[in-house]
C-alpha cells in the first residue's frame, strides 16, 4: 500500500517530467526513467511508436525537441497512484500540452513505476491521445 509520502513522491516524479522536457534538460531523464524503460507512443499520430531504453528515449526526445512538432509546455493532472507492493506502483494521469501552433492536446498517461534507491522512476509509460474519434464515430458538426 502506498503511503502519503509515496503518493507525493510519485506526483513529483510525474511533474518533474514536464519540467525536464519543457526546458530540454534531457540529460536529467535518468532522474525519471529506469535504464530499461519503455516509452510507448504507438497510439499517437507521432509515428514514434514504442521506444525502449533510456538512451533511445533521450535520443527520440531530442529529435522531437528539434522538430516543429514538439509541445511548448506540458501539464500533468488527475494523478491516481496504486500499488500492491512496496517497490512497484502504477499511476494514471492526464496531460495537457500546448503545441507550437497554439493548439491544446490532451493525453492519458499510464505509468508503471519502480522505487529504487529511495526514488520512484518510470519503468513504462503509455501515452494515449484523448478526444480522438474512434473508428465508426459520427461527426455531429
Amino acid at each position: 500500500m502506498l503511503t502519503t509520502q509515496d503518493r507525493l513522491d510519485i506526483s513529483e516524479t510525474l511533474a518533474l517530467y514536464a519540467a525536464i522536457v519543457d526546458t530540454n534538460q534531457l540529460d536529467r531523464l535518468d532522474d525519471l526513467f529506469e535504464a530499461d524503460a519503455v516509452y510507448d507512443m504507438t497510439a499517437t499520430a507521432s509515428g514514434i511508436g514504442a521506444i525502449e531504453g533510456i538512451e533511445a528515449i533521450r535520443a527520440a526526445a531530442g529529435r522531437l525537441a528539434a522538430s516543429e512538432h514538439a509541445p511548448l509546455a506540458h501539464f500533468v493532472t488527475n494523478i491516481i497512484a496504486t500499488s500492491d507492493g512496496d517497490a512497484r506502483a502504477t499511476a494514471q494521469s492526464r496531460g495537457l500540452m500546448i503545441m507550437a501552433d497554439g493548439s491544446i492536446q490532451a493525453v492519458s498517461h499510464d505509468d508503471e513505476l519502480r522505487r529504487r534507491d529511495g526514488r520512484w522512476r518510470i519503468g513504462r509509460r503509455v501515452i494515449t491521445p484523448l478526444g480522438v474519434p474512434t473508428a465508426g464515430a459520427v461527426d455531429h458538426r
Side-chain angles (χ1 to χ4, degrees):
M1 181 164 179
L2 295 173
T3 66
T4 300
Q5 188 61 53
D6 287 329
R7 292 177 188 284
L8 290 170
D9 292 345
I10 288 168
S11 293
E12 182 82 7
T13 298
L14 302 182
L16 185 59
Y17 171 83
I20 286 174
V21 298
D22 288 350
T23 56
N24 204 26
Q25 297 179 58
L26 302 181
D27 59 320
R28 293 190 57 205
L29 288 178
D30 301 71
D31 292 341
L32 301 174
F33 292 101
E34 290 286 326
D36 62 347
V38 174
Y39 197 99
D40 189 347
M41 295 179 61
T42 304
T44 72
S46 69
I48 293 174
I51 308 155
E52 297 184 33
I54 187 70
E55 292 308 322
I57 293 169
R58 191 181 331 274
R63 286 189 303 274
L64 186 59
S67 77
E68 299 282 326
H69 306 290
L72 299 175
H74 292 76
F75 301 90
V76 181
T77 186
N78 299 20
I79 299 167
I80 301 170
T82 59
S83 178
D84 58 5
D86 289 335
R88 293 186 179 268
T90 59
Q92 293 178 320
S93 62
R94 299 289 194 234
L96 293 174
M97 299 171 296
I98 299 175
M99 306 305 288
D101 66 2
S103 66
I104 297 174
Q105 293 185 12
V107 297
S108 174
H109 304 123
D110 290 294
D111 297 321
E112 296 173 9
L113 298 102
R114 292 180 245 163
R115 183 178 22 221
R116 182 174 48 86
D117 300 328
R119 298 202 44 176
W120 288 98
R121 289 181 176 80
I122 300 169
R124 180 175 187 79
R125 170 168 270 196
V126 177
I127 305 292
T128 305
L130 299 174
V132 177
T134 58
V138 176
D139 185 354
H140 293 286
R141 286 186 262 167

